Amino acid sequence: MENFPIINLEKINGEERKATMEKIKDACENWGFFELVNHGIPHDLMDTVERLTKEHYRICMEQRFKELVANKGLEAVQTEVKDMDWESTFHLRHLPESNISEVPDLSDEYRKAMKEFALKLEKLAEELLDLLCENLGLEKGYLKKALYGSKGPTFGTKVANYPPCPKPDLVKGLRAHTDAGGIILLFQDDKVSGLQLLKDGKWVDVPPMHHSIVINLGDQLEVITNGKYKSVEHRVIAQSDGTRMSIASFYNPGSDAVIYPAPTLIEENNEVYPKFVFEDYMNLYAGLKFQAKEPRFEAFKESSNVNLGPIATV
């Protein structure tokens, strides 16, 4: 199998721009994932975020997770667990309004670092969306506008730790799913692996790399590109050794954004995907996250004769 796509974003401004754009295009069309290096986010900021995330887990989350495992009897399971994940998580919201000051147990230093990190990721997400526009032949800013609701996009972060698991063959770190939203930016542990994506019917490891950002495409970009780019099923395998850090940030549509295929990407009689309000999609996704995405799209096709009005723009 081909190597997992690794993109050096620094080369986008030099003589190798064309080749780099081609690599991004291939990754979006054939993988739904790629890994960015030289992405412009300062390494010292990433080091600070990693240190504080691991410190926060040890001080505030680890004991709670052990108690949860004990209460659920997960260490003694004899058959595959299909309704739980071996992960310890909390969530931060950045846009349209931040909740970082309200999340309990975060140090001031951690809050400040995560705010700064989120701003850098937001800028990177919008830069990447414009590169995708260029490859798709869409006008600059189209994808950003397509994700805008009346209050702009939704942007949030899931901070997860995957502790050592005594039964990794019976409990998944995170069960297989596609992501519901737009574009996802992941800062993952560079020592403990576990993230896998499904390609050509086989599970492929996403390689841990120091200071990289892993990018993957969500269901909404599949709809807007009319299937030219696809969201890809992925999962986290629990490990028997080491705790894996995962900081996944989701640049998603605003809740009232109307999502539909870009007209220029619809070939004659080939409008494959429906039109819907993002919040409605999320309400459906909430109960069907760990099932195939196709029935979710089909459910909205059946009600697509409803007039949802014009797209929300910046």
Side-chain angles (χ1 to χ4, degrees), residues 74-247:
L74 287 178
E75 288 186 330
V77 295
Q78 301 298 319
T79 57
E80 186 176 359
V81 176
K82 296 185 177 180
D83 61 351
M84 274 191 71
D85 301 306
W86 190 269
E87 63 173 0
S88 170
T89 67
F90 68 94
H91 295 81
L92 301 172
R93 186 178 66 249
H94 313 300
L95 295 173
E97 293 176 355
S98 173
N99 73 343
I100 290 183
S101 62
E102 301 155 25
V103 177
D105 302 327
L106 303 183
S107 69
D108 289 344
E109 185 186 12
Y110 195 18
R111 290 182 210 277
K112 182 183 175 188
M114 290 303 280
K115 276 186 179 179
E116 186 180 348
F117 189 46
L119 284 171
K120 301 286 188 188
L121 288 170
E122 180 190 346
K123 182 183 174 190
L124 178 59
E126 293 177 351
E127 180 185 348
L128 289 170
L129 288 173
D130 277 344
L131 294 178
L132 267 54
C133 283
E134 188 176 332
N135 272 336
L136 289 161
L138 298 171
E139 65 178 332
K140 187 175 181 179
Y142 182 92
L143 290 175
K144 182 180 172 182
K145 288 178 185 176
L147 300 181
Y148 258 55
S150 58
K151 297 179 181 177
T154 305
F155 187 46
T157 297
K158 174 186 172 184
V159 180
N161 282 274
Y162 298 90
C165 179
K167 300 282 182 75
D169 52 329
L170 297 178
V171 189
K172 293 283 184 297
L174 181 59
R175 290 161 286 167
H177 64 287
T178 64
D179 289 326
I183 190 166
I184 299 88
L185 305 93
L186 169 68
F187 176 25
Q188 67 167 349
D189 205 290
D190 66 333
K191 296 180 178 65
V192 183
S193 63
L195 179 61
Q196 296 182 328
L197 64 93
L198 191 64
K199 178 165 170 56
D200 302 328
K202 295 180 180 176
W203 288 105
V204 179
D205 291 329
V206 177
M209 285 179 63
H210 198 38
H211 293 144
S212 72
I213 298 287
V214 177
I215 306 298
N216 72 285
L217 310 181
D219 294 349
Q220 307 312 303
L221 286 187
E222 177 166 340
V223 173
I224 294 168
T225 66
N226 203 38
K228 196 170 180 69
Y229 295 166
K230 288 189 167 57
S231 60
V232 169
E233 206 172 332
H234 52 285
R235 67 183 185 183
V236 176
I237 297 297
Q239 305 289 349
S240 55
D241 297 311
T243 296
R244 176 180 176 267
M245 178 197 77
S246 164
I247 303 173

Side-chain angles (χ1 to χ4, degrees), residues 258-305:
V258 180
I259 303 299
Y260 57 89
T264 58
L265 298 180
I266 300 171
E267 295 168 18
E268 193 174 354
N269 300 319
N270 186 33
E271 188 168 354
V272 179
Y273 291 84
K275 179 179 184 178
F276 51 79
V277 175
F278 180 60
E279 186 174 24
D280 294 339
Y281 187 87
M282 287 306 294
N283 290 338
L284 182 65
Y285 179 86
L288 302 172
K289 174 177 178 176
F290 299 109
Q291 298 179 30
K293 62 188 171 182
E294 287 79 12
R296 300 196 290 263
F297 296 146
E298 287 300 321
F300 284 104
K301 273 189 192 176
E302 291 165 14
S303 59
S304 62
N305 57 342

